[in-house]
Amino acid sequence: MSKEPTTVDDARGRVTELIRDARICLLTTSAVDGRLVSRPMSLQAAEFDGDLWFFAYADSAKVRQIRVNPQVNIGFSDQRHHAWVSVAGTAQEGWDRARAEQVWNPLLKTWFPDGLDTPGITLIKVHASSAEYWDSPGSTVVNLLGVAKATVTGRPPKAGENHEVSY
């Protein structure tokens, strides 16, 4: 069955569902020498209203890179549901205690042992300008059958549905 969005709100809702299911992403920033640098991050707020929140240390390389070039990309992969999301946006770093309390997850104590009182802790807010997502139809078996069929017929498999969303 097609998951084709019929409105912008439907498409944005689908992006939110996919992000919520994935939760772990790769945050890509630009290094000072222009190289793209990606690292895994844990998404802190699953209610996606166009902003994504992450905890970091204020003196980390990712935060220094964001201060120089705030354009970032965040990639999500949800293998269980055969879906992927790419979010392009602008990042900014800053401490907001009230927001931090809203999005804090106790599992973060692994990286921030004193919780919200950890010295040097900060927030990264990414405001999305666009998102693109891919929904692959069916299960792993269906996808493998599609690859097998493509091998025999010489035609690429149906890769799933791709949608772009502006924010």
Side-chain angles (χ1 to χ4, degrees):
M1 174 180 280
S2 175
K3 295 177 184 173
E4 183 76 31
T6 56
T7 68
V8 170
D9 286 341
D10 287 345
R12 288 179 179 171
R14 184 68 183 139
V15 168
T16 299
E17 288 173 25
L18 295 172
I19 287 172
R20 185 181 299 124
D21 288 343
R23 299 292 296 180
I24 302 295
C25 62
L26 285 177
L27 171 65
T28 302
T29 57
S30 295
V32 176
D33 64 4
R35 288 177 303 114
L36 296 177
V37 182
S38 299
R39 79 278 295 152
M41 300 287 288
S42 175
L43 177 64
Q44 296 314 307
E47 293 307 318
F48 181 47
D49 60 0
D51 294 334
L52 299 170
W53 295 89
F54 304 92
F55 284 93
Y57 281 98
D59 64 352
S60 65
K62 68 182 140 290
V63 169
R64 289 192 304 272
Q65 291 163 357
I66 287 168
R67 288 177 185 150
V68 173
N69 181 354
Q71 298 304 309
V72 299
N73 190 272
I74 305 167
F76 294 88
S77 175
D78 183 355
Q79 296 298 318
R80 291 180 324 262
H81 298 103
H82 311 286
W84 299 265
V85 179
S86 176
V87 176
T90 304
Q92 65 182 56
E93 173 266 332
W95 184 244
D96 177 341
R97 179 75 185 212
R99 174 61 71 172
E101 288 173 357
Q102 284 180 323
V103 299
W104 177 258
N105 180 327
L107 294 174
L108 290 169
K109 284 196 107 179
T110 301
W111 292 275
F112 307 100
D114 294 328
L116 296 178
D117 296 318
T118 300
I121 193 172
T122 192
L123 284 169
I124 297 172
K125 171 186 168 183
V126 177
H127 180 71
S129 55
S130 65
E132 190 167 359
Y133 68 92
W134 297 263
D135 267 335
S136 187
S139 67
T140 301
V141 172
V142 170
N143 289 325
L144 289 174
L145 289 173
V147 171
K149 179 180 175 185
T151 302
V152 171
T153 64
R155 283 182 253 139
K158 184 172 181 171
E161 298 176 8
N162 171 244
H163 304 282
E164 294 183 38
V165 184
S166 294
Y167 284 86

